[in-house]
Amino acid sequence: MSSQLLASTIINGVLNGGLYGLLGLAIVLVFRTTAVANFAQGELGMFAGFILLMGVLPLDLPLWLSWLITVAVSGVIGGAIYLILLRPRPNAGHLNMTVRTLGFYTLIYAVSVYAWGALEPYRVPTVFGPETVPVLGFSISYDQLGTVGVTIIMAAAFLLFFRYTQLGLAMRAVAINPEVASLQGINVRRIALSVWLIAGAIGAIVGLLVAPISFLETSLMRPYILKAFTAAIMGGLYSFAGVLIGGVILGVAESFAAVAISIHMREPFVFMVLLLVLLLRPAGILGKVQRGRV
């Protein structure tokens, strides 16, 4: 493998891995605070792409403002999922609520196929421009560089938010023990709503980063949500830093598998890595094994 191909493979892996990790952050956030595996997380990103293309861009606003509006609308949709699907009958059990998100995933996908599937795929404009920059003998688009930059900024902001802000600390308290957090005066339902708002916004950001690189279609986020869950499990479902590390490892591993073995081995190799991690570190890379006394 030449040095140019090696560098290109690593960069592509880091690019995809960052997106897996960013989407995985939303999954871990929701899981830690509400114990619900949100299967609709990826479809929120896909739906955000269509909101931008069909609803916001026709208003002829600046593209960056259209992005902000789309992210805000997607955040509201995330909050609506909590209020409509999860807040009623909260004691039905975590599996029951997880299945509700799976049902919403199916619904939003079906609606998208009905509304826009006949003319897909669609081209989505990028805010970073179509130019490329030469790096180590190959070209990287501004879109790819911008995606990496936004992913790094989002991940750093996410970690700082949870460490230093009052709302972030309240979310961490609810994630550790909702009952104790409630006794401390924290409004657990309000925190849960905030979590779903943030998760919806993160889903939109990932969707809007992916759509210009590939074409927008109703199945846009399916590979990403699957690998985001894989990154979350690899990193440890209770670790924000772990899911980012898991995402990058996953992205680089699948990129090398595609180049060194076959492009058809990307997905099998990814799950081979997952199985290996779970065999050696059952709690994930940065996860902690919970031990209890009988």
Side-chain angles (χ1 to χ4, degrees):
M1 183 181 293
S2 67
S3 59
Q4 293 180 0
L5 182 57
L6 176 63
S8 175
T9 301
I10 293 174
I11 290 173
N12 285 330
V14 171
L15 170 65
N16 289 327
L19 293 172
Y20 302 153
L22 192 57
L23 195 61
L25 281 177
I27 292 171
V28 171
L29 173 62
V30 170
F31 184 81
R32 283 187 58 171
T33 52
T34 62
V36 174
N38 182 17
F39 284 95
Q41 186 66 56
E43 298 309 283
L44 289 175
M46 175 272 291
F47 200 68
F50 283 109
I51 291 174
L52 174 71
L53 194 64
M54 304 299 180
V56 182
L57 289 182
L59 300 177
D60 211 18
L61 299 172
L63 187 55
W64 65 268
L65 181 58
S66 300
W67 267 50
L68 292 179
I69 293 173
T70 303
V71 170
V73 171
S74 188
V76 172
I77 293 174
I81 293 174
Y82 170 73
L83 292 174
I84 297 172
L85 291 182
L86 302 178
R87 188 167 179 175
R89 295 185 177 274
N91 299 321
H94 301 309
L95 178 60
N96 180 291
M97 290 190 285
T98 296
V99 173
R100 295 182 207 177
T101 69
L102 186 59
F104 184 75
Y105 155 81
T106 305
L107 175 64
I108 196 170
Y109 175 73
V111 169
S112 300
V113 170
Y114 177 79
W116 304 298
L119 299 177
E120 64 180 5
Y122 300 86
R123 187 166 186 83
V124 177
T126 173
V127 295
F128 302 113
E131 294 83 4
T132 60
V133 56
V135 176
L136 299 176
F138 64 96
S139 296
I140 301 178
S141 68
Y142 283 0
D143 213 4
Q144 291 175 311
L145 289 175
T147 297
V148 172
V150 170
T151 301
I152 293 173
I153 292 171
M154 285 291 302
F158 196 88
L159 296 176
L160 291 173
F161 170 78
F162 273 89
R163 185 174 292 271
Y164 296 110
T165 68
Q166 185 174 1
L167 179 58
L169 293 173
M171 288 180 179
R172 290 176 63 186
V174 172
I176 294 171
N177 194 315
E179 290 78 12
V180 173
S182 180
L183 293 175
Q184 295 283 340
I186 297 174
N187 189 325
V188 175
R189 287 189 172 184
R190 184 175 298 173
I191 293 299
L193 175 60
S194 301
V195 163
W196 281 87
L197 288 168
I198 293 173
I202 292 175
I205 292 171
V206 175
L208 295 179
L209 289 174
V210 171
I213 296 176
S214 56
F215 288 99
L216 175 62
E217 54 187 354
T218 52
S219 60
L220 173 71
M221 297 301 294
R222 284 190 173 184
Y224 287 88
I225 187 63
L226 184 62
K227 290 167 188 175
F229 269 107
T230 305
I233 295 170
M234 284 178 59
L237 276 170
Y238 293 91
S239 172
F240 293 126
V243 68
L244 294 171
I245 295 173
V248 173
I249 292 174
L250 198 64
V252 173
E254 73 167 0
S255 187
F256 270 101
V259 172
I261 306 174
S262 167
I263 193 170
H264 301 293
M265 285 297 295
R266 290 179 61 179
E267 277 68 26
F269 191 78
V270 161
F271 292 105
M272 286 171 57
V273 173
L274 173 63
L275 290 174
L276 183 62
V277 170
L278 291 180
L279 284 172
L280 300 177
R281 295 276 303 176
I285 296 171
L286 295 185
K288 296 180 181 179
V289 177
Q290 303 293 327
R291 291 187 173 90
R293 293 184 177 181
V294 178

